[in-house]
Amino acid sequence: MVNLNLLFESVFNRFLFSSSNSFEINTMSKPKKVAILTAGGLAPCLSSAIGGLIERYTEIDPTIEIICYRSGYKGLLLGDSYKVTPEVREKAGVLHRFGGSPVGNSRVKLTNIKDCIKRGLVKEGEDPQKIAADQLVKDGVDVLHTIGGDDTNTAAADLAAFLAKNNYGLTVIGLPKTVDNDVYPIKQSLGAWTAAEQGARYFQNVVAENNANPRMLIIHEVMGRNCGWLTAATALEYRKLLDRSEWLPAIGLDRSAFDVHAVFIPEMEIDIAAEAKRLRAAMDKVDCINIFVSEGAGVEAIVAELQAKGQEVPRDAFGHIKLDAVNPGKWFGEQFAQMIGSEKTLIQKSGYFSRASAANIEDLRLIKSCVDLAVECAMRGESGVIGHDEDRNGVLRAIEFPRIKGGKPFDIDTPWFTEMLSAIGQPKGKKATVSH
């Protein structure tokens, strides 16, 4: 029997992380020590990006010291880190086979002084940015690699600006991680492809509940605070799985019962009454309805309802509404259940399943190219966030920190999305403005 793990590692090392490409090192600017941290929510790229950075530095110059701060910016503030030992360097390839972040994440905003004090990360009167900068100096770090989403990289931008303003002379290089794929001006963020694929696999099992009860309504809530890309891409990947399946309608195994019947995302207006009428007709025909909903869809309406009832809406350190407390999937289920005549409603969330996966082959390739450029930039002391710059003809480069921001909306006029809506019989709503 073939050992799939060994086969994967062999192929991966041969085609993805070979060191055939090289560049001339300027020994005058070569860093002596680099640090890595991951922050924010998980995405299927963190572990691999850490492994890739360690491998690439080891390939180019194993004398460069590497440390990894535990739990993101929290570890930086507290001076808590892992030292990358020879054993870790030798076995760094193992990290490509795992999801999550082995060094840990946290949601810490260095400019939110009140929150940092509350969490015991700094003392009254201390500036978290200065504490972080001084810790980097104390640890002898020349280059800091941050792996995270828009919040992580805007925090890195703030820190980079503070370092430059106060003449610390450190290089900060970000890698764009987010399953939402919503970072300006980056074409594709690390981990998003995998998250869509895994969300589709998740629903491939859940959807069988459609025959557990007559007139079943299944709500698949997908991650995506202000961006519907992941929900749309997950629906697309799921329908590809259906395309590859064999069906037997003569005994009830009909694709129409397993298909996606509606996709609701923040960037597209929803006419609930019209959709309820359309979906009720589908329910009468196939005896079930499957809806893919972005966790950010309808949030403004839900928050308005909660506030009207006098309920407090909890927020995180970055000021974002805590979506698990708002529960958009439940709200959509309640909106549609009676209107379409469902006997039972099932709400299922794929977020934690999909975001904690190991990276797939497409993301591994993207991670490899970004990691290689990140190390090259480190060698020449160039700060920025590594990504394909949509404002520079899609060139992979170190994008200037001031240009990085979150909240990039999904374009509902994207051809594959328009084609998918047409295929499932859903009229495309008007474009909606999404606040970030």
Side-chain angles (χ1 to χ4, degrees):
M1 182 177 290
V2 177
N3 186 318
L4 293 180
N5 280 338
L6 289 178
L7 178 62
F8 172 84
E9 187 169 6
S10 173
V11 173
F12 182 79
N13 289 336
R14 182 177 176 185
F15 291 104
L16 292 181
F17 281 80
S18 63
S19 54
S20 58
N21 57 321
S22 60
F23 56 90
E24 186 175 342
I25 299 174
N26 183 348
T27 56
M28 295 297 292
S29 62
K30 186 190 75 172
K32 294 180 180 179
K33 190 173 186 178
V34 302
I36 302 169
L37 67 79
T38 61
L42 296 183
C45 64
L46 298 172
S47 185
S48 183
I50 295 169
L53 286 169
I54 293 171
E55 286 181 319
R56 192 58 175 155
Y57 274 113
T58 302
E59 288 170 354
I60 292 172
D61 188 345
T63 67
I64 297 173
E65 294 182 62
I66 308 172
I67 62 172
C68 297
Y69 287 110
R70 297 175 192 255
S71 302
Y73 288 109
K74 176 183 178 180
L76 174 55
L77 289 172
L78 299 177
D80 185 12
S81 64
Y82 291 95
K83 180 179 180 181
V84 175
T85 63
E87 180 189 10
V88 173
R89 291 177 187 267
E90 181 184 353
K91 297 181 179 179
V94 171
L95 298 179
H96 300 301
R97 301 201 297 267
F98 285 82
S101 171
V103 300
N105 281 25
S106 65
R107 292 187 180 274
V108 175
K109 188 174 184 179
L110 298 180
T111 54
N112 189 337
I113 300 174
K114 184 178 179 180
D115 182 66
C116 288
I117 293 172
K118 180 182 177 181
R119 296 165 71 169
L121 302 178
V122 298
K123 299 175 183 177
E124 289 279 358
E126 291 182 333
D127 180 353
Q129 286 190 320
K130 188 175 188 308
I131 295 297
D134 289 344
Q135 186 63 52
L136 289 167
V137 172
K138 181 180 178 181
D139 290 337
V141 172
D142 302 304
V143 176
L144 173 64
H145 289 278
T146 62
I147 310 169
D150 60 300
D151 288 332
T152 300
N153 284 308
T154 52
D158 292 337
L159 180 59
F162 181 90
L163 293 168
K165 180 180 178 181
N166 294 278
N167 300 313
Y168 278 85
L170 275 75
T171 301
V172 182
I173 303 171
L175 288 171
K177 169 272 332 170
T178 171
V179 297
D180 295 351
N181 196 30
D182 66 343
V183 180
Y184 283 109
I186 294 171
K187 182 178 181 180
Q188 186 71 30
S189 58
L190 309 182
W193 280 325
T194 305
E197 178 185 84
Q198 291 296 319
R201 291 180 178 177
Y202 173 90
F203 195 71
Q204 187 179 25
N205 276 10
V206 169
V207 72
E209 290 289 336
N210 63 20
N211 50 45
N213 201 83
R215 301 187 71 84
M216 175 74 84
L217 169 60
I218 304 179
I219 305 288
H220 179 196
E221 184 180 313
V222 183
M223 282 188 166
R225 178 181 297 278
N226 300 109
C227 180
W229 181 90
L230 181 59
T231 302
T234 300
L236 181 71
E237 290 301 315
Y238 172 69
R239 298 193 80 245
K240 289 178 182 177
L241 294 177
L242 298 184
D243 290 341
R244 296 195 291 268
S245 299
E246 188 174 1
W247 305 97
L248 192 59
I251 198 169
L253 187 62
D254 196 315
R255 172 174 173 152
S256 61
F258 288 74
D259 212 337
V260 179
H261 300 112
V263 180
F264 299 140
I265 59 177
E267 297 89 345
M268 189 172 70
E269 291 183 3
I270 306 166
D271 185 335
I272 290 182
E275 277 298 281
K277 182 179 180 179
R278 181 181 72 85
L279 293 173
R280 184 168 191 124
M283 175 73 88
D284 293 342
K285 183 178 181 180
V286 300
D287 205 38
C288 65
I289 290 294
N290 307 312
I291 300 177
F292 280 46
V293 177
S294 168
E295 65 178 355
V299 166
E300 291 183 4
I302 301 169
V303 169
E305 277 189 18
L306 294 175
Q307 291 176 335
K309 296 176 183 177
Q311 297 180 25
E312 183 179 351
V313 180
R315 297 176 182 268
D316 63 19
F318 291 86
H320 302 315
I321 294 167
K322 292 187 175 180
L323 294 174
D324 55 347
V326 174
N327 207 344
K330 180 174 181 288
W331 185 83
F332 272 96
E334 292 171 349
Q335 295 296 310
F336 281 107
Q338 187 172 359
M339 298 174 76
I340 68 174
S342 70
E343 289 188 12
K344 183 177 180 180
T345 302
L346 181 66
I347 315 296
Q348 292 291 294
K349 303 180 181 184
S350 61
Y352 292 114
F353 178 89
S354 60
R355 78 176 197 171
S357 169
N360 68 10
I361 196 70
E362 288 81 8
D363 268 316
L364 288 172
R365 290 193 181 101
L366 180 60
I367 292 165
K368 168 60 176 168
S369 60
C370 290
V371 161
D372 281 359
L373 182 57
V375 174
E376 184 177 338
C377 288
M379 292 296 178
R380 59 175 178 253
E382 180 181 0
S383 293
V385 179
I386 307 299
H388 292 89
D389 192 337
E390 291 185 306
D391 296 335
R392 301 288 191 277
N393 299 315
V395 173
L396 183 63
R397 58 187 298 273
I399 302 170
E400 299 76 11
F401 274 114
R403 296 177 54 220
I404 299 295
K405 60 179 180 178
K408 182 179 75 172
F410 173 61
D411 182 3
I412 65 171
D413 291 329
T414 300
W416 61 258
F417 182 66
T418 299
E419 291 166 7
M420 180 172 66
L421 290 183
S422 177
I424 67 176
Q426 179 180 350
K428 185 163 69 174
K430 296 180 180 178
K431 284 188 178 181
T433 302
V434 182
S435 58
H436 177 66

